[in-house]
Amino acid sequence: MSNGIFKNPFLSTHSKKLLYLAIPINLLLWGCETWAVKKSDWKRLQVFHTTCIRKILRISMCDVQDFHISNTEILHKFDVKPIQDIAFSRQLYWLGKIHLMSDTRMPRKMLTCWLNTRRRTGRPHTTIRHTYLDALKRISYLCSLGNNQYPLVGTVLTVHVCVEKELTWHGENICVTYKIQKISCFLL
């Protein structure tokens, strides 16, 4: 795909962006709703993300070094979110779906299950609970910045708006902030 589509001079950057978001990003983040991701894994995903975008925009590493182009500038020029925000929005959407499920459904049971065994000494491994809490912290941080200061707030908040519309469709009226608090309490 890199040689055939991304380096094609006859395709517009917008078309390349849509193809990139449709195929490689969806394949990369397949099942990310249930990943327990460490910081090193986020770093590797972000490196892949920015490397692909640099190839699409034809920005070499020499250009990055000579002109001091940062990853945020590359993402802004390509008009795409960081990979962590994309994954967090998918995870939060999945949490909203789980919250709407009855207590008898298997995903809801598995999210709150507990194994009664002895834990090994040391810090526990990263769990999906940690990843969900990071996603909730990120969305509350973006909400505190406001729409004018951070351009990604609107795109990340669409996840919660979709969940709110589903709740309204089922006859319940719960505001987005209550929904975030409800999910965070649900995970603790």
Side-chain angles (χ1 to χ4, degrees):
M1 191 165 185
S2 175
N3 292 333
I5 295 174
F6 293 157
K7 292 183 179 179
N8 189 341
F10 301 110
L11 281 176
S12 68
T13 306
H14 182 70
S15 299
K16 292 177 185 179
K17 173 188 162 187
L18 294 177
L19 285 170
Y20 172 70
L21 292 174
I23 300 170
I25 289 296
N26 279 334
L27 288 175
L28 179 70
L29 296 179
W30 184 264
C32 74
E33 295 85 1
T34 57
W35 288 355
V37 186
K38 296 185 283 186
K39 287 185 180 181
S40 59
D41 296 332
W42 282 127
K43 179 117 177 119
R44 291 173 62 196
L45 288 169
Q46 189 63 30
V47 166
F48 172 80
H49 188 51
T50 53
T51 302
C52 288
I53 293 172
R54 274 192 298 102
K55 285 181 182 178
I56 292 171
L57 296 176
R58 297 182 181 192
I59 299 173
S60 67
M61 281 306 292
C62 294
D63 293 337
V64 170
Q65 291 173 352
D66 292 342
F67 300 113
H68 305 289
I69 303 172
S70 67
N71 287 342
T72 53
E73 291 176 25
I74 291 172
L75 294 174
H76 182 69
K77 185 174 183 178
F78 199 60
D79 192 29
V80 71
K81 299 182 287 187
I83 198 77
Q84 197 170 10
D85 287 352
I86 296 170
F88 280 166
S89 65
R90 291 178 183 203
Q91 289 170 347
L92 291 173
Y93 186 76
W94 174 241
L95 275 179
K97 289 285 199 182
I98 289 176
H99 179 70
L100 294 175
M101 293 178 186
S102 68
D103 292 336
T104 59
R105 297 277 309 270
M106 189 58 72
R108 181 86 179 243
K109 286 181 180 179
M110 294 306 291
L111 188 64
T112 58
C113 69
W114 180 261
L115 297 174
N116 196 13
T117 61
R118 282 196 63 157
R119 187 174 65 83
R120 290 187 283 182
T121 58
R123 187 186 188 285
H125 296 287
T126 302
T127 62
I128 189 65
R129 178 179 173 267
H130 294 119
T131 306
Y132 287 154
L133 289 175
D134 288 342
L136 288 167
K137 288 176 190 173
R138 177 76 176 160
I139 193 68
S140 64
Y141 170 73
L142 293 177
C143 290
S144 68
L145 291 178
N147 286 332
N148 295 334
Q149 295 176 2
Y150 198 77
L152 298 179
V153 172
T155 54
V156 177
L157 285 178
T158 55
V159 175
H160 298 288
V161 171
C162 290
V163 172
E164 185 180 12
K165 285 182 183 174
E166 278 189 47
L167 288 172
T168 305
W169 183 71
H170 287 288
E172 299 178 23
N173 289 323
I174 298 175
C175 67
V176 175
T177 55
Y178 178 73
K179 181 68 177 165
I180 292 171
Q181 291 171 356
K182 182 88 170 176
I183 292 173
S184 62
C185 293
F186 175 67
L187 288 173
L188 294 177

